[in-house]
């Protein structure tokens, strides 16, 4: 069974600094998607970034980028120039590619605090 | 704007009572999902549906039921058999196999047993 592990329950970063959130996953599939979702205090789940496993290039979205290491099954999120609005719970998630199901499997989350 | 609407935002259930959480999407997505969120446990899948009139149990389906009579709607009923229903419930939809594949979430329903 596929699993997603986030080993950092809480992280803290100073405003304008860079922080990296860790995520590892386990799967026997070769094709899949990986996601980072942000959940602010409003509890709305917001897609931060998406990575297709067949793409070697790491995905980037403005200040957010990932370090995707397929062989190591690692998918970390780097937030550059951290802002107060980045404070939230961050979830790493895995989804198989195609097939009969596309359910999203989540890690337990990392609570990020941004210090002014 | 396209999106997912969950209602109500807050719901209170008495012991032994069934309650239904509403989830409607206008994204024309084929697949819909229900997740339960508890502190420290991330999101756990309750039920999902890939197509109208078909749905599958997720990891924690006991005590819950769903229907998918319309593409746009995927209501979740929390039955009296669910012994610990107090949680935050999130509905999501997706369009698997498309270039912009990803999940869109509703704003959630907070269910409390009173």
């Amino acid at each position: 069974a596929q699993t997603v592990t986030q080993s950092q329950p809480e992280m803290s970063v100073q405003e304008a600094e860079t922080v990296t959130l860790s995520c590892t996953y386990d799967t026997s599939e070769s094709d899949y998607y990986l996601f980072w979702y942000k959940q602010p205090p409003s509890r709305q789940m917001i897609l931060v970034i998406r990575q297709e496993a067949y793409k070697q290039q790491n995905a980037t979205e403005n200040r957010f980028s990932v370090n995707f290491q397929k062989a190591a099954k690692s998918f970390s999120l780097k937030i550059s120039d951290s802002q107060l609005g980045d404070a939230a719970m961050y979830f790493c998630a895995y989804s198989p590619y195609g097939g009969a199901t596309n359910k999203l499997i989540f890690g337990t989350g990392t609570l990020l605090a941004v210090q002014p | 704007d396209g999106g997912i609407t969950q209602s109500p935002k807050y719901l209170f259930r008495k012991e032994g009572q069934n309650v239904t959480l509403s989830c409607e999407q206008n994204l024309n997505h084929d697949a819909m999902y229900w997740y339960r969120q508890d502190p420290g446990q991330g999101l756990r899948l309750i039920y999902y549906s890939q197509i109208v009139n078909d749905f599958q149990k997720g990891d924690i389906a006991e005590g819950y039921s769903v229907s998918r009579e319309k593409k746009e709607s995927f209501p979740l009923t929390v039955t009296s058999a669910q012994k610990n229903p107090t949680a935050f419930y999130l509905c999501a939809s997706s369009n698997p196999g498309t270039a912009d594949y990803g999940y869109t979430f509703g704003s959630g329903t907070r269910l409390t047993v009173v």
Side-chain angles (χ1 to χ4, degrees):
Chain A
Q2 296 98 347
T3 58
V4 177
T5 302
Q6 294 179 250
S7 59
Q8 306 155 314
E10 298 182 14
M11 293 281 285
S12 182
V13 63
Q14 292 291 128
E15 197 174 4
E17 296 295 309
T18 295
V19 65
T20 298
L21 308 184
S22 300
C23 173
T24 59
Y25 59 95
D26 188 25
T27 183
S28 58
E29 303 291 332
S30 59
D31 289 330
Y32 47 87
Y33 292 94
L34 294 164
F35 303 86
W36 278 98
Y37 280 90
K38 170 185 177 180
Q39 189 179 43
S42 68
R43 306 200 80 170
Q44 177 73 51
M45 294 287 282
I46 302 164
L47 176 64
V48 176
I49 202 163
R50 181 185 82 171
Q51 175 81 43
E52 291 94 330
Y54 66 87
K55 291 185 178 179
Q56 293 187 339
Q57 186 174 6
N58 289 325
T60 61
E61 287 288 342
N62 301 313
R63 297 182 296 108
F64 299 87
S65 61
V66 297
N67 184 5
F68 173 48
Q69 301 289 330
K70 190 173 184 179
K73 296 180 182 176
S74 172
F75 184 61
S76 61
L77 175 70
K78 184 172 80 172
I79 305 174
S80 304
D81 186 25
S82 296
Q83 300 175 0
L84 295 177
D86 295 334
M89 181 72 84
Y90 286 82
F91 291 98
C92 179
Y94 164 96
S95 174
Y97 179 85
T101 64
N102 295 91
K103 56 184 181 180
L104 205 54
I105 300 166
F106 287 88
T108 52
T110 297
L111 182 61
L112 178 66
V114 180
Q115 308 298 331
Chain B
D1 286 339
I4 297 182
T5 301
Q6 286 188 245
S7 62
K9 190 174 179 68
Y10 299 96
L11 187 57
F12 298 91
R13 193 195 92 167
K14 296 180 180 179
E15 295 283 350
Q17 189 179 44
N18 292 354
V19 291
T20 298
L21 284 61
S22 172
C23 178
E24 303 275 337
Q25 55 103 354
N26 60 3
L27 299 164
N28 200 33
H29 283 175
D30 290 321
M32 297 187 73
Y33 312 81
W34 275 105
Y35 286 88
R36 169 176 171 148
Q37 187 175 20
D38 296 281
Q41 297 196 47
L43 279 73
R44 294 181 291 167
L45 182 64
I46 305 172
Y47 267 98
Y48 61 100
S49 168
Q50 303 280 34
I51 195 171
V52 175
N53 292 322
D54 185 52
F55 48 83
Q56 305 294 328
K57 292 182 179 180
D59 301 316
I60 55 166
E62 185 175 352
Y64 300 97
S65 66
V66 293
S67 64
R68 186 86 186 276
E69 297 177 0
K70 299 186 300 181
K71 187 175 185 178
E72 303 79 19
S73 178
F74 192 42
L76 173 74
T77 296
V78 184
T79 74
S80 57
Q82 171 50 238
K83 298 307 179 187
N84 185 23
T86 294
F88 188 66
Y89 291 86
L90 280 162
C91 179
S93 71
S94 73
N95 234 11
T98 58
D100 62 345
Y101 170 61
Y103 276 48
T104 301
F105 285 84
S107 56
T109 293
R110 175 72 185 177
L111 174 61
T112 303
V113 174
V114 295

